[in-house]
Amino acid sequence: MSGDAQISRLKPGRRTDIRRENERAILEAAEKVFAEAGFGGATMQLIADMAGLPKANLHYYFATKEDLYRRVVQQIFEIWLDAASSFDDAPGPVEGIGAYIDAKMDISRTHPHGSKVWASEVMHGAPVIQDYLETTLRDWTEGRIAVIQRWIDDGKMAPINPRHLLYLLWATTQHYADFGHQIQTLNDGKPLSDKQWREAKASVKDMVLRGIGAI
Amino acid sequence: MSGDAQISRLKPGRRTDIRRENERAILEAAEKVFAEAGFGGATMQLIADMAGLPKANLHYYFATKEDLYRRVVQQIFEIWLDAASSFDDAPGPVEGIGAYIDAKMDISRTHPHGSKVWASEVMHGAPVIQDYLETTLRDWTEGRIAVIQRWIDDGKMAPINPRHLLYLLWATTQHYADFGHQIQTLNDGKPLSDKQWREAKASVKDMVLRGIGAI
DNA sequence: TCGTTTCCTGACCGTATGGTCAAGGTGAAG
DNA sequence: CTTCACCTTGACCATACGGTCAGGAAACGA
């Protein structure tokens, strides 16, 4: 913050900025390439081209392809965890689950690549993030199940199985990112418009909140 | 049908059987390998090993890796289409959608590999089955939307958006296959038992049928 | 038995990939 | 200006992969 807003695109100037900017560009390119080609199909050369750097430079910042991949997966996981705070500070399912659906649908629209990388990783048996599943994700899940169970006990929603509600929420919201291409094809080849996204969010919230007897 | 039930595992005997048996073994191995490693990560060598054949033999039956892959994707698509008949011969949403959920959940349990291959293919932009999406899948979708709309018009369910209902159905049912590893990890590392699968199906049906105001 | 079609497979090839390295460039501190 | 840590990169390497092929084995029909 030295007085004037830096564009910070290229010509980074300071040393630290060089590192930050290059890592950012690499991670952004990697996210896209890993999402579109999978880990096995992605090549360092393609990521390098997309980031506008020579391939050897990638290995200066990220030792191996796996290191780079791991960082990309961690990134989307953290974004999802942040969004999950919607759950906690809510008086009941209408606000809590409603906000959670909103947040996850927004992420599906703004970070479709990350969502696909995560899906791909889990589908292949989570070779690099198994520990996250067993620790952070498990803890988070148990916590949310407890919250939902409390809502049920308080009569704020029907006695559905909280675990399967979470799976339905994850599946449905992420579907709009992971299967975005299929959805686009069924939408005459055009991406969903702002209006269609609002309609999607409203539909999902409506079905889910009805489905759990919250409205 | 020459009198005795053939085991038909190995030692196929007749010419036609040799071809049939080898293609079956290759397709089965390919489905598993493509699901676990993705198209790019899968190797013909690994598929060959898993099928118990030398690699060169694979290329005798399937010219290229892509040919083999295409066959695997088509297979799961046909299985899903068959299951979709549940939709048609049903008087209302409770029977129709209920049966559809049952069918797709069963497939997620019996054909998890195929589901993953399909998901991976769509996530990567459907390079080899784009035409299916634009023809068969689109037609099928429009047909089912019409059926659902009729149920709505007949007052058999709430006026939800049929398209987003279909997406929710696809997402949720396939989630149990595509994210099966995550679900298993959250289930203390153990696969869902028969009882847990029944519970899952019941939960999904309950939430969905409530959600659309059919019960 | 013979001829023909189908099936089998070890050895091989061109290519593309992840990763390395050494030499050179560049910004900032003293 | 000098120094030094950090950054950049073309050239290179070993490996692994998809695919080919020629020669042989096995299954059938006559």
Side-chain angles (χ1 to χ4, degrees):
Chain A
M1 312 299 184
S2 49
D4 59 326
Q6 293 216 4
I7 297 181
S8 108
R9 185 60 191 175
L10 290 179
K11 202 81 173 307
R14 289 209 314 274
R15 275 271 183 67
T16 343
D17 290 347
I18 293 180
R19 179 163 218 100
R20 201 195 337 264
E21 164 62 17
N22 281 343
E23 287 185 349
R24 192 203 55 76
I26 293 170
L27 282 170
E28 188 178 317
E31 183 178 276
K32 197 169 184 181
V33 173
F34 281 134
E36 286 171 357
F39 178 82
T43 70
M44 294 297 268
Q45 187 62 62
L46 193 57
I47 296 171
D49 291 347
M50 194 160 293
L53 293 170
K55 193 187 67 161
N57 211 345
L58 259 67
H59 285 98
Y60 174 74
Y61 288 104
F62 299 91
T64 68
K65 190 183 177 186
E66 269 196 41
D67 283 343
L68 179 52
Y69 174 75
R70 191 188 310 267
R71 283 283 300 271
V72 171
V73 176
Q74 285 176 353
Q75 218 170 230
I76 185 68
F77 187 55
E78 281 162 21
I79 290 174
W80 277 340
L81 275 189
D82 281 351
S85 62
S86 341
F87 238 106
D88 298 311
D89 25 81
V94 177
E95 301 85 356
I97 294 177
Y100 185 56
I101 291 173
D102 275 333
K104 287 221 62 201
M105 290 291 281
D106 288 341
I107 296 173
S108 279
R109 192 177 190 189
T110 56
H111 294 74
H113 301 313
S115 181
K116 286 177 193 172
V117 176
W118 174 270
S120 200
E121 163 70 6
V122 172
M123 283 198 306
H124 299 355
V128 320
I129 47 106
Q130 180 64 26
D131 51 332
Y132 275 74
L133 297 186
E134 290 173 359
T135 55
T136 319
L137 182 64
R138 180 177 295 184
D139 293 346
W140 186 91
T141 305
E142 299 305 327
R144 284 346 104 146
I145 286 178
V147 171
I148 295 170
Q149 190 57 51
R150 209 172 308 130
W151 287 336
I152 292 174
D153 295 340
D154 291 349
K156 290 177 177 170
M157 54 179 281
I160 50 85
N161 185 312
R163 189 176 294 273
H164 293 293
L165 168 58
L166 285 179
Y167 294 165
L168 184 145
L169 289 172
W170 293 343
T172 305
T173 54
Q174 286 161 225
H175 182 83
Y176 286 85
D178 301 342
F179 288 75
H181 178 81
Q182 179 173 296
I183 290 176
Q184 178 169 338
T185 298
L186 294 177
N187 191 44
D188 295 322
K190 288 172 292 194
L192 297 191
S193 65
D194 289 354
K195 188 182 171 186
Q196 286 175 316
W197 270 99
R198 278 196 300 274
E199 170 73 13
K201 282 166 67 169
S203 291
V204 172
K205 276 197 285 188
D206 188 45
M207 284 186 281
V208 171
L209 294 179
R210 266 178 200 270
I212 62 175
I215 56 176
Chain B
M1 314 299 181
S2 49
D4 60 328
Q6 294 217 2
I7 297 181
S8 110
R9 186 60 191 174
L10 290 179
K11 202 82 175 304
R14 288 209 315 275
R15 273 272 184 67
T16 344
D17 290 346
I18 293 179
R19 179 163 219 100
R20 200 193 341 262
E21 163 62 17
N22 281 343
E23 287 185 350
R24 191 203 56 76
I26 294 170
L27 282 171
E28 187 178 318
E31 183 178 275
K32 196 169 184 182
V33 173
F34 281 134
E36 286 171 357
F39 178 81
T43 71
M44 294 298 268
Q45 187 62 62
L46 194 57
I47 296 172
D49 291 348
M50 193 160 293
L53 294 168
K55 193 186 66 161
N57 211 345
L58 260 67
H59 284 98
Y60 174 74
Y61 288 103
F62 300 91
T64 68
K65 189 182 177 185
E66 268 195 43
D67 284 342
L68 179 52
Y69 175 74
R70 191 188 311 267
R71 282 283 299 274
V72 170
V73 176
Q74 285 175 354
Q75 218 169 232
I76 184 70
F77 188 55
E78 282 161 21
I79 290 174
W80 277 340
L81 276 189
D82 281 351
S85 61
S86 341
F87 236 107
D88 298 312
D89 24 80
V94 177
E95 300 85 357
I97 294 177
Y100 186 55
I101 292 173
D102 274 334
K104 287 221 61 201
M105 289 291 281
D106 287 342
I107 296 172
S108 279
R109 193 177 189 189
T110 56
H111 294 74
H113 300 313
S115 181
K116 286 177 192 171
V117 175
W118 174 271
S120 199
E121 164 70 6
V122 171
M123 284 199 305
H124 298 355
V128 320
I129 47 107
Q130 181 62 28
D131 51 331
Y132 274 75
L133 298 186
E134 290 173 0
T135 56
T136 319
L137 181 64
R138 181 177 297 185
D139 293 346
W140 186 89
T141 305
E142 298 305 327
R144 280 351 97 146
I145 286 178
V147 171
I148 296 171
Q149 190 58 52
R150 208 172 309 130
W151 288 335
I152 294 174
D153 295 341
D154 291 350
K156 291 178 177 167
M157 55 180 281
I160 50 84
N161 184 312
R163 188 175 295 273
H164 293 295
L165 168 57
L166 285 178
Y167 294 164
L168 184 144
L169 288 172
W170 294 343
T172 304
T173 53
Q174 287 161 224
H175 183 83
Y176 286 85
D178 301 343
F179 288 74
H181 178 82
Q182 180 172 296
I183 289 176
Q184 178 169 339
T185 297
L186 294 177
N187 190 44
D188 294 323
K190 287 172 290 192
L192 297 191
S193 64
D194 290 353
K195 187 181 172 188
Q196 285 175 316
W197 269 100
R198 279 197 298 275
E199 169 74 11
K201 282 167 69 169
S203 291
V204 172
K205 277 198 285 187
D206 187 44
M207 284 187 280
V208 171
L209 294 179
R210 265 177 203 270
I212 63 176
I215 56 175

